[in-house]
Amino acid sequence: MICAFCTHAFEEYFHNDFQPVVLTTNHLQHLLIFPILLYTSYSLYSQQFLRQVSSVFIFSVIGTFLNVLLTGILLKYIYDGLSNSLITIPQCMVFASLISVVDPLAVVTVFRGVDEVQGNFFLPFGAALFGYGVAMELFEAANALAVYGQDDSITMSSF
């Protein structure tokens, strides 16, 4: 209630020149998610992780890519079978990249609560961490395809 009162007073005081603060997904991602991932990723630097790095990359890159691809295609055919609406593959890939990622912070929380051997932590957390990055890049690519579609007038300078 005090915060609401202070916000209202602030808005009334600066009403004529008040410009609302617009937070986009990039702001939230850079301010909230990346520092947490950076802090937790420092725990990955060890000899046990370096021994498992090939498995981590296979699970994270190939696994996440296949997960997004198969989920997007399955969504496309299920949605087309249930309705006569036109949904494109890039739109399905955008949604699939959002729901296919494994949350690295959830993996950290589970392993911190279990107190298992530290060596068992590196494979799932490393795969989740790198898979998160792969899924974010797939989301950006699919989102660009879904927004711009088949328009041939778009050049590289527009990105």
Side-chain angles (χ1 to χ4, degrees):
M1 189 148 177
I2 294 172
C3 289
F5 177 74
C6 291
T7 304
H8 179 69
F10 184 77
E11 183 180 352
E12 287 296 322
Y13 181 73
F14 294 109
H15 183 65
N16 294 335
D17 297 327
F18 185 71
Q19 295 293 326
V21 176
V22 178
L23 292 177
T24 63
T25 56
N26 287 336
H27 292 114
L28 294 175
Q29 186 175 12
H30 288 25
L31 292 175
L32 298 176
I33 296 174
F34 285 155
I36 295 170
L37 292 177
L38 181 66
Y39 174 73
T40 56
S41 65
Y42 279 125
S43 65
L44 282 179
Y45 186 70
S46 81
Q47 190 68 9
Q48 292 175 342
F49 173 72
L50 294 176
R51 277 187 248 137
Q52 296 178 357
V53 75
S54 61
S55 300
V56 166
F57 284 136
I58 288 172
F59 283 130
S60 62
V61 176
I62 296 173
T64 303
F65 184 76
L66 285 176
N67 193 1
V68 169
L69 184 69
L70 294 176
T71 303
I73 290 171
L74 188 64
L75 283 173
K76 167 78 172 140
Y77 288 111
I78 287 175
Y79 194 79
D80 282 347
L82 294 176
S83 68
N84 292 332
S85 152
L86 297 175
I87 188 168
T88 63
I89 289 284
Q91 292 170 343
C92 289
M93 292 299 171
V94 169
F95 184 70
S97 65
L98 289 175
I99 65 171
S100 297
V101 67
V102 175
D103 186 17
L105 301 178
V107 173
V108 169
T109 305
V110 167
F111 274 91
R112 301 286 170 157
V114 174
D115 288 334
E116 282 290 322
V117 178
Q118 187 70 16
N120 295 337
F121 168 75
F122 294 113
L123 184 62
F125 179 65
L129 189 65
F130 288 117
Y132 185 78
V134 170
M136 285 178 22
E137 292 303 317
L138 287 174
F139 171 76
E140 292 292 330
N143 193 24
L145 284 174
V147 168
Y148 297 117
Q150 299 293 327
D151 190 9
D152 293 334
S153 64
I154 297 175
T155 63
M156 288 302 290
S157 64
S158 61
F159 292 105

